[in-house]
């Protein structure tokens, strides 16, 4: 028989059972349910300082098919009177600090917080087919730590407002040097898990969201939806999302914050609509990334890596609509891998910057397609190349496209019929042999540099005036 709990606890931690009603502030709720088919409801309201669960007195459901809903609705009229769920002494993913714990299969946790300066500190689910949903409306709210282990779990976080956080307390700065689970954030370990983060508003931050499906037959899927401006972090720096060096470390500076990390066989869908947003993504193993960015002055840092001896595939599809955007993409296969990576980049706008490296080892191959309609892309105020493309001057400047290894293909398409594109710069490089570059440029004052090592083929067509190209083979 299903057992039901509707509870609100006052500051003295007196349990009140019965109908759902509103109470004053400074409430604490600590519940424990053991068994199957339990339901729990905690309603807290007032001017803040309500607490549902802590590291010392956790909200706990132990068993299968349990459901718990927490709603905290409060106005921060007294300054700093925030509500907490799973409030603990540290912001870490740790069993000792699981202020909200569900253990078993097919459990559901739903948290709603309305108002400002509310926080979900710790929510931990252990088992299969569990679901966690967090909805926060207001400003200065945070989701510090959500962790799930095993298969078929789902996490959905929706934040509406400004200056909200996912990962790390806004009141306590944690070290960000490590890349393991001592960081706060959202963690899913297992297969067939789903993660959705939706942000509506400005100046919101997402620090860490990680999925690891290593050793599981079915991979994970993540979705990031951003509507607003100045989200992610304050910017990665200059060029290729802080990656002018374009080596394997280029994503680290950009990804230490504003990061989705996936390990194993995973997929990621990203939609960003707004300006001045900066996000980074790391995928290790078989990976697929689809990103759509609409707006101006956005930054994306993407790193995809296939490990030693893995016969896998990485794909990246990025669509940019707007101006002044910066994209850095690094795809790498390690020694002994029999794999294939591909990137398809579509840009419609002006004054965007693009840097891509595909570094393949062993039997791996790569393909790259860049399609662009717009003017002044990678131009850096036309301070580069000139004169037979700078007499084949080659450097890692914006517009840098590189493939390492053999049997790779690269295609560049600039402009279109009825949409000529002017003043764009691209430098293309292929090392090793049996590589191919095909280029088509429609417009004027465009420049291109091609460098190939030997045994390669390059085909280039330029339609328009005052275009120039330099080729070295």
């Amino acid at each position: 028989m299903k057992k039901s709990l509707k509870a609100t606890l006052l500051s003295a931690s007196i349990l009140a059972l019965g109908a759902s009603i509103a109470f004053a502030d400074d409430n604490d709720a600590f519940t424990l349910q053991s068994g199957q088919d339990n339901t729990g409801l905690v309603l807290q309201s007032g001017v803040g300082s309500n607490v549902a669960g802590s590291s010392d007195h956790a909200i706990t459901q132990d068993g299968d098919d349990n459901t718990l809903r927490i709603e905290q609705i409060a106005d921060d009229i007294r300054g700093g009177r925030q509500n907490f769920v799973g409030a603990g002494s540290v912001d870490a993913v740790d069993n000792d600090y699981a202020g909200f714990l569900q253990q078993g299969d097919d459990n559901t946790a739903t948290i709603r917080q309305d108002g400002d300066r509310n926080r979900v500190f710790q929510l931990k689910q252990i088992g299969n087919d569990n679901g966690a949903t967090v909805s926060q409306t207001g400003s200065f709210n945070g989701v510090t730590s959500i962790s799930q282990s095993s298969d078929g779990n789902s996490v959905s976080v929706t934040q509406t407002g400004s200056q909200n956080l996912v990962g790390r307390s806004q009141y306590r700065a944690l070290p960000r040097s490590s890349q393991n689970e001592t960081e706060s954030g959202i963690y899913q370990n297992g297969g067939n898990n789903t993660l959705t983060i939706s942000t509506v508003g400005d100046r919101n931050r997402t620090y860490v969201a990680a999925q690891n499906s290593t050793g599981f037959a079915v991979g994970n899927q993540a979705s990031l939806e951003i509507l607003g401006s100045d989200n992610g972090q304050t910017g990665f720096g200059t060029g290729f999302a802080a990656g002018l060096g374009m080596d394997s470390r280029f994503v680290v500076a950009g990804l230490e914050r504003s990061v989705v990390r996936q390990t194993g066989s995973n997929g990621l869908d990203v939609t960003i609509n707004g300006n001045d947003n900066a996000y980074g993504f790391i995928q290790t193993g078989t990976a697929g990334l689809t990103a759509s960015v609409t707006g101006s002055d956005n930054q994306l840092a993407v790193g995809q890596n296939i490990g030693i001896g893995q016969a896998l595939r990485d794909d990246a599809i990025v669509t940019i609509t707007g101006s002044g955007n910066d994209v850095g993409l690094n795809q790498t296969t390690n020694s002994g891998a029999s794999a294939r990576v591909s990137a398809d980049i579509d840009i419609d706008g002006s004054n965007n910057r693009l840097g891509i490296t595909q570094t393949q080892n062993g039997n791996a191959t790569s393909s790259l397609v860049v399609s662009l309609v717009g003017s002044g892309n990678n131009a850096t105020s036309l301070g580069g190349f000139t004169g037979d493309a700078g007499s084949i001057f080659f450097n890692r400047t914006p517009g840098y496209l590189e493939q390492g290894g053999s049997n790779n293909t690269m295609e560049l398409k600039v402009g279109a019929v009825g949409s000529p594109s002017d003043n764009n710069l691209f430098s293309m490089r292929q090392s090793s042999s049996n590589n191919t570059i095909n280029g088509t440029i429609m417009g004027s004052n465009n420049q291109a540099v091609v460098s190939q090592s030997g045994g390669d083929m390059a085909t280039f067509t330029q339609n328009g005036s005052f275009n120039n190209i330099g080729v070295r083979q």
Side-chain angles (χ1 to χ4, degrees), residues 420-423 441-447 462-468:
S421 301
D422 306 328
N423 300 309
I441 294 179
M442 301 183 68
S444 301
N445 295 303
N446 296 294
Q447 300 185 48
Q462 291 178 316
N463 295 313
S465 303
F466 305 106
N467 297 302
N468 91 66

Side-chain angles (χ1 to χ4, degrees), residues 174-190:
L174 296 179
R176 293 178 281 114
S177 57
S178 63
Q179 298 294 312
N180 55 45
E181 289 196 14
T182 60
E183 295 178 290
S184 58
I186 300 175
Y187 290 89
Q188 292 180 314
N189 291 298

Side-chain angles (χ1 to χ4, degrees), residues 64-221:
D64 300 333
D65 299 296
N66 296 306
T67 299
L68 182 59
R69 189 170 95 242
I70 297 174
E71 294 189 8
Q72 295 176 322
I73 303 173
D75 298 319
D76 183 32
I77 62 175
R78 292 194 290 182
R81 306 287 289 181
Q82 62 268 29
N83 298 308
F84 297 149
V85 172
S89 58
V90 297
D91 301 340
V93 180
D94 193 294
N95 285 325
D96 295 334
Y97 301 101
F100 186 162
L101 174 64
Q102 287 181 318
Q103 187 165 284
D105 299 334
D106 297 295
N107 295 306
T108 301
T110 303
I111 299 172
R112 172 192 168 193
Q113 292 177 320
D114 288 354
D116 298 334
R117 302 184 188 278
N118 299 302
R119 281 181 282 174
V120 176
F121 270 106
Q122 296 96 13
L123 192 163
K124 189 177 186 70
Q125 293 177 316
I126 302 173
N128 300 314
D129 301 308
N130 295 306
T133 301
V134 177
S135 175
Q136 294 177 320
T137 302
S139 299
F140 303 101
N141 296 307
V143 176
T144 301
S145 174
I146 298 176
S147 65
Q148 293 177 322
S149 60
S150 210
D151 295 345
N153 299 303
S154 66
V155 172
S156 176
V157 176
T158 301
Q159 293 177 319
T160 303
S162 62
Q163 301 188 60
N164 298 304
L165 300 179
V166 174
R168 294 182 71 228
S169 166
Q170 60 264 57
Y171 301 106
R172 229 182 343 255
L174 296 179
R176 293 178 281 114
S177 57
S178 63
Q179 298 294 312
N180 55 45
E181 289 196 14
T182 60
E183 295 178 290
S184 58
I186 300 175
Y187 290 89
Q188 292 180 314
N189 291 298
N192 197 29
N193 297 309
T194 62
L195 168 64
T196 301
I197 299 176
S198 300
T199 299
V200 179
D202 302 331
R203 291 177 291 173
N204 299 298
R205 302 287 181 257
T206 300
Y207 286 96
V208 177
Q211 294 178 311
N212 188 345
S213 64
T214 302
F216 290 82
V218 180
N220 298 314
Q221 184 69 35

